[in-house]
Amino acid sequence: AYAPESVRVYWDTSLSAENSAKKSLEFLIRVLDDTRPFSLELVTFSAGEEQKLRKQLRPQPDELAFEVDALTYNSGTDLETLFETEQGIQPADVCFLVTDGRSTVRNAPTERLPCQLHVISAADDADTALLGYLARQGGGHYLNLANTSVTTARNQLDRALPDVQTFQIDGQPRIDDLEWRTEAGGIRLFAPVAIDARNLTLEIDGNRISAPLNPARAARADSLGANWAALKLTSERVRGASRDDLVALSRKYSVVAEET
C-alpha cells in the first residue's frame, strides 16, 4: 500500500490557482487520512518571491486544511524559480506539486525536485502537457482532478510507475523517443517506429521483452502519432529545442503547439 513517511506539499499561490484550490485540498486530505505520514511540510510559491512560506505541520488533514484556507493568492506562477531554489533541500519521501502549470514568468523548469514528485491540478485550463512531463521526470503520477474523481486519483497512487531501462528498435537505442502517459486503467507507452522496422526490445521493471515487428501491416491510427508528438513537443521545449525544430515537429504530426 502507498504509505510515505515524509510528505512535502508545494502549493501554487498565483491568482490563476485560487479557483481550483478546493478540489486539490480535498484530494490531499484524502491522502493524509489514508496514509498518516510521520511528517508534513507545506511550501508555497508564486512569481517574484522565492519562498513565501515553508512550514512544518502536524501530519493531520485538519492542519493542512487550516493552513491552505488561510493562504492569499496573488501574482503569477514561476515554476522555474521554485525548482531552482529547492536544489539542496532535505529530500522527502514524496512531494505533491499543486498548480495549474500556467507559468507566467520565466521558463519551464529543467531541474528536479528532491523527492518522488506527484503533480496535481484541478483547473480546466491547466497546462496538462507540461504537468505530465514534470510528473514523468519526477518519477510520479500526474493527477488531473479536472477530469477524474478524488477516489480514482487516490487509487492511482497505489500503482507502481514503470522504470524503463532499455528501449531498442532493430538493436538501436531509441529510449529518448519514448514518451508515456499514465491513465486510469494503467500506463501507455508511445514511440515512433519506421515502416521497415523488424524487432522491438523493451526492458521495463527488470522484465525484458523482445518481439518481432511488421509496421507495414499495422492499422493506420494518426491519433497515436499525434499523442506522441504532443508529449514530445513538451519534452523538447523543456530541454531547450529551437523554435524552428518545434515548428517542424508540430507540422510533421499536425499538432498545434505554442510555436504554431
Side-chain angles (χ1 to χ4, degrees):
Y2 184 77
E5 289 196 3
S6 58
V7 172
R8 180 176 295 138
V9 176
Y10 293 104
W11 197 280
D12 185 354
T13 56
S14 65
L15 281 172
S16 65
E18 184 172 11
N19 289 338
S20 59
K22 184 176 180 180
K23 193 166 187 181
S24 298
L25 178 60
E26 180 186 350
F27 169 76
L28 286 171
I29 286 174
R30 171 72 176 272
V31 172
L32 293 175
D33 243 343
D34 287 349
T35 61
R36 297 293 175 177
F38 179 77
S39 67
L40 173 64
E41 184 179 27
L42 175 64
V43 179
T44 64
F45 68 96
S46 66
E49 298 176 72
E50 291 184 2
Q51 178 187 307
K52 292 171 65 177
L53 171 72
R54 178 181 294 274
K55 190 171 184 180
Q56 287 289 340
L57 310 180
R58 289 186 303 110
Q60 303 293 333
D62 58 344
E63 182 89 351
L64 179 65
F66 177 82
E67 292 292 339
V68 169
D69 286 344
L71 293 176
T72 300
Y73 294 82
N74 54 49
S75 191
T77 300
D78 183 358
L79 290 170
E80 188 177 23
T81 296
L82 171 69
F83 277 59
E84 287 175 353
T85 55
E86 287 299 290
Q87 301 308 300
I89 297 296
Q90 180 72 27
D93 288 343
V94 64
C95 295
F96 292 97
L97 173 63
V98 180
T99 181
D100 58 12
R102 304 195 67 80
S103 294
T104 52
V105 179
R106 302 190 71 189
N107 301 309
T110 55
E111 307 283 355
R112 297 190 185 187
L113 293 174
C115 50
Q116 182 191 43
L117 178 65
H118 300 300
V119 181
I120 303 168
S121 72
D124 291 330
D125 60 349
D127 189 340
T128 57
L130 173 62
L131 298 182
Y133 173 83
L134 294 178
R136 294 195 300 277
Q137 291 296 101
H141 291 280
Y142 170 40
L143 306 169
N144 184 356
L145 301 177
N147 62 16
T148 191
S149 69
V150 167
T151 298
T152 300
R154 169 62 189 91
N155 291 340
Q156 259 186 270
L157 294 178
D158 291 325
R159 297 194 185 100
L161 288 160
D163 180 17
V164 180
Q165 292 91 27
T166 303
F167 177 67
Q168 297 179 343
I169 301 294
D170 294 337
Q172 298 299 311
R174 297 289 296 277
I175 199 165
D176 287 343
D177 287 336
L178 190 65
E179 300 284 347
W180 54 277
R181 172 181 288 154
T182 57
E183 299 175 342
I187 295 159
R188 180 178 274 191
L189 300 174
F190 296 88
V193 177
I195 199 164
D196 59 350
R198 289 292 174 262
N199 183 268
L200 174 148
T201 301
L202 176 67
E203 187 175 355
I204 184 167
D205 291 334
N207 299 304
R208 192 175 183 87
I209 301 166
S210 186
L213 289 174
N214 190 351
R217 298 182 62 183
R220 186 180 179 103
D222 292 343
S223 63
L224 295 179
N227 276 330
W228 172 81
L231 294 167
K232 191 65 176 175
L233 277 165
T234 301
S235 298
E236 292 300 301
R237 186 182 298 113
V238 173
R239 292 170 184 152
S242 70
R243 184 182 186 281
D244 288 346
D245 287 343
L246 294 173
V247 169
L249 180 62
S250 174
R251 287 176 174 165
K252 182 176 181 179
Y253 288 89
S254 300
V255 176
V256 176
E258 292 177 15
E259 295 73 20
T260 55

